[in-house]
Amino acid sequence: MSRVAKAHPPLPPSEAARLAEALIFCAPAPLSEADLAARLPAGTDVPAVLGEIARAYAPRGITLARVAGGYAFRTAPDLAPALRGGVPEARKLSRAALETLAIVAYHQPVTRAEIEEIRGVTTSKGSLDLLLETGWVRLRGRRRTPGRPVTYGTTPAFLDHFGLDAVSDLPGLDELKGLGLIEGRLPAGFRVPQPSDDAGADEDPLGPGDAAAD
């Protein structure tokens, strides 16, 4: 007669929260609910566990943040000004690289020719190479147009660095105005694109080994 394996009962909520806390703390990248469900005992109420962790950390110097489609511990936003002096200054991007990054983020999937058309100037290969090197921009696919130009898009590392859960969380026109990033009178019909990292209708994914930029 075969024995039926006994299912282990779910951990008490406090213990499940401790385990989830440890998993998130040790993870090199944000963990999604599915990632946590795969590592926690079967039957664990993952959203409830995340809620318990978030509440526990809410008044502390480190909080649980949702970034890049997952969860990670981040410094409490209100403490950022006090910490800037003790953190080594990150490498600054040039104006051209910043403009290129903004265009990629809002217009993805976008080709180099389209970036140049939007900026109105030639985009140096160095700007795109730098953004690829930072890990904020990736090669997405190829346009179904003559020449099959490479398309560019942002990465989970970009979302993580800027504290975004998805590219759709990028600020819209009203938010950009509120931040003082857009000033003065805008041309009639001016709009900020609604960013999305969905596959383009005229875009094919890169094939195996097809990693060379145009």
Side-chain angles (χ1 to χ4, degrees), residues 31 109 124 129 142 157 175 177 181 191 198:
L31 294 180
S124 70
D129 284 345
R142 288 191 180 275
E175 291 171 289
K177 285 180 178 177
L181 298 176
R191 67 181 183 84
D198 293 337

Side-chain angles (χ1 to χ4, degrees), residues 5 18 27 40 95 98 115 122 135 149 163 172 188 197-198:
R18 288 183 66 233
L40 293 169
R95 181 186 178 94
L98 283 171
I115 294 170
T122 300
D197 55 8
D198 293 337

Side-chain angles (χ1 to χ4, degrees), residues 102-127:
I103 292 168
V104 171
Y106 279 95
H107 292 267
Q108 58 186 302
V110 64
T111 66
R112 181 176 173 181
E114 290 165 346
I115 294 170
E116 292 176 350
E117 182 180 353
I118 294 168
R119 290 191 65 221
V121 295
T122 300
T123 299
S124 70
K125 189 171 182 294
S127 293

